[in-house]
């Protein structure tokens, strides 16, 4: 039953296709009267891919967060620990998580993610996205290379297919009335990262060289945490002074890392950057 339900959770994208497949499963196993399956079917809007693909989820399944946290706890905690030992190991886990977070922020400021190919759109993505999001975008861009627009209809719909494999990896990309692109895979709506089909249309049909601003989610960018945080009443939350200092430090590191990278490409640019850097140091 697990293997059968996993198909509904991951593979079937159309609601009508799901309903037909569900009836076929009930017929095959003769379980029309099974109470548990009836209850599961009533909750289909919460677990069937054809329904949950309409909602934003950042690509995370409902149980993924708890399963991940449980796996982390098992590395630190044991059932035979007493209360003081429990809190000692729990605090050690929290400290390790903070350390990994600081390492990730350091890499974000000082290390550039390798690009698999020298393309302007990828360079733009690397400049704005965090490491994890850029790698996901780069994977989709790499897939888009093997795609082509098979059908270009007058109503703004494009059928995108894999090169040499007409019946595989099909995606219908449609230009909406407001000019935005929507793909039948709904990857952007679910995860906030463009799919290979939309990237293909942007690059080969519309001739766009950078990611349009409407497809860049602030939460996925390097500057996401440098902005002010507001509560539900739109009032600015007063942060810890040390945290504010860290945010300012991270923001400045990102800016000066870019300047250093650009200035190092030529001797003239290096001298110019060095002179202005000395002047800025005296002003501060």
């Amino acid at each position: 039953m697990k293997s059968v339900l996993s198909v509904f959770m991951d593979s079937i994208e159309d609601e009508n296709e799901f309903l037909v497949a569900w009836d076929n499963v009930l017929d095959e196993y003769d379980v029309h009267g099974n109470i548990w399956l009836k209850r599961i079917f009533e909750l289909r809007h919460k677990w069937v891919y054809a329904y949950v693909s309409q909602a934003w989820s950042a690509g995370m399944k409902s149980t993924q967060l708890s399963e991940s946290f449980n796996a982390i706890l098992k590395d630190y905690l044991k059932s035979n620990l007493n209360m003081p030992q429990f809190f000692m190991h729990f605090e050690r886990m929290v400290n390790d998580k903070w350390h990994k977070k600081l390492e990730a922020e350091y890499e974000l400021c000082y290390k550039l993610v390798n690009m698999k190919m020298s393309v302007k759109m990828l360079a733009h993505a690397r400049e704005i996205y965090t490491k994890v999001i850029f790698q996901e975008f780069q994977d989709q861009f790499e897939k888009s290379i093997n795609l082509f627009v098979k059908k270009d209809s007058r109503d703004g719909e494009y059928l995108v297919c894999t090169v040499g494999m007409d019946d595989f990896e099909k995606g219908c990309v449609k230009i909406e009335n407001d000019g935005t692109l929507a793909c039948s895979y709904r990857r952007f709506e679910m995860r906030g990262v463009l799919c290979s089909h939309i990237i293909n249309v942007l690059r080969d049909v519309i001739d766009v060289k950078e990611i349009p601003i409407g497809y860049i989610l602030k939460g996925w960018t390097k500057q996401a945490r440098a902005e002010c945080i507001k509560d539900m009443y739109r009032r600015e939350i007063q942060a810890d002074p040390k945290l504010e200092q860290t945010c300012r430090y991270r923001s400045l590191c990102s800016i000066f890392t870019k300047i250093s990278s650009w200035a190092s490409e030529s001797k003239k640019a290096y001298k110019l950057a060095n002179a202005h850097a000395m002047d800025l140091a005296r002003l501060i």
Side-chain angles (χ1 to χ4, degrees):
M1 183 54 66
K2 181 179 179 180
S3 61
V4 172
L5 292 179
S6 65
V7 175
F8 299 132
M9 293 177 65
D10 301 320
S11 302
I12 299 179
E13 301 174 6
D14 183 72
E15 296 179 21
N16 293 327
E17 184 181 351
F18 159 73
L19 295 174
V20 172
W22 182 265
D23 289 336
N24 291 337
V25 168
L26 297 181
D27 292 337
E28 180 180 353
Y29 294 97
D30 192 19
V31 286
H32 285 275
N34 188 281
I35 298 176
W36 182 79
L37 286 176
K38 287 182 178 179
R39 291 176 179 173
I40 288 294
F41 180 78
E42 291 173 356
L43 297 173
R44 61 189 180 279
H45 292 87
K46 295 185 178 182
W47 64 274
V48 176
Y49 182 81
Y51 296 94
V52 300
S53 62
Q54 308 298 318
W56 162 258
S57 64
M60 184 176 291
K61 296 181 179 178
S62 59
T63 60
Q64 188 174 346
L65 182 61
S66 60
E67 290 173 356
S68 175
F69 191 66
N70 290 338
I72 294 171
L73 286 176
K74 288 179 181 178
D75 293 335
Y76 292 87
L77 305 178
K78 295 181 180 179
S79 58
N80 59 352
L81 295 178
N82 57 34
M83 192 64 72
Q85 290 174 328
F86 170 84
F87 283 106
M88 181 183 69
H89 288 286
F90 184 82
E91 186 176 357
R92 183 166 63 91
M93 181 201 72
V94 173
N95 290 335
D96 287 348
K97 296 290 287 183
W98 273 109
H99 180 70
K100 289 181 179 179
K101 177 175 174 291
L102 291 174
E103 285 183 336
E105 291 182 353
Y106 175 84
E107 290 185 356
L108 192 65
C109 293
Y110 293 103
K111 295 183 180 181
L112 290 175
V113 187
N114 291 329
M115 292 195 306
K116 296 180 180 179
M117 59 197 81
S118 182
V119 182
K120 189 173 183 180
M121 186 175 288
L122 281 181
H124 181 223
R126 183 174 68 172
E127 180 181 345
I128 58 175
Y129 283 142
T130 61
K131 179 181 178 180
V132 174
I133 299 301
F134 168 72
Q135 289 175 335
E136 183 173 347
F137 179 85
Q138 184 167 230
D139 290 341
Q140 291 299 311
F141 188 93
E142 192 174 16
K143 289 180 180 179
S144 73
I145 296 175
N146 291 322
L147 299 178
F148 72 102
V149 176
K150 181 179 180 182
K151 179 184 177 183
D152 182 356
S153 62
R154 294 184 179 179
D155 58 355
E157 288 191 359
Y158 301 93
L159 182 62
V160 184
C161 305
T162 303
V163 175
M165 301 174 67
D166 293 346
D167 296 325
F168 181 75
E169 195 69 20
K170 288 184 179 180
C172 183
V173 178
K174 183 177 181 180
I175 301 181
E176 303 290 355
N177 294 331
D178 58 358
T180 59
L181 297 175
C183 180
S184 57
Y185 273 62
R186 299 187 61 81
R187 185 183 188 87
F188 180 76
E189 288 79 1
M190 291 182 65
R191 304 176 66 92
V193 179
L194 290 176
C195 66
S196 57
H197 307 98
I198 291 182
I199 294 174
N200 180 271
V201 173
L202 285 173
R203 186 188 64 238
D204 297 342
V205 178
I206 307 179
D207 194 27
V208 174
K209 303 302 181 184
E210 293 187 348
I211 305 172
I213 189 67
Y215 300 105
I216 301 174
L217 299 187
K218 287 185 178 180
W220 291 167
T221 64
K222 295 178 181 178
Q223 300 298 326
R225 298 180 60 201
E227 297 182 359
C228 297
I229 303 174
K230 297 182 179 180
D231 60 17
M232 62 184 294
Y233 301 106
R234 307 299 296 171
R235 295 176 302 194
E236 188 174 319
I237 297 175
Q238 298 299 320
D240 185 351
K242 291 184 178 180
L243 181 60
E244 290 183 344
Q245 180 182 356
T246 303
C247 291
R248 291 194 296 267
Y249 176 80
R250 182 169 56 248
S251 179
L252 289 172
C253 282
S254 177
I255 294 171
F256 285 106
T257 299
K258 293 177 185 177
I259 295 174
S260 300
S261 177
W262 296 333
S264 63
E265 294 178 358
S266 69
K267 198 170 184 179
K268 183 178 179 180
Y270 165 75
K271 290 182 178 180
L272 179 65
N274 190 53
H276 283 284
M278 296 302 294
D279 293 339
L280 182 61
R282 284 192 291 269
L283 290 173
I284 296 175

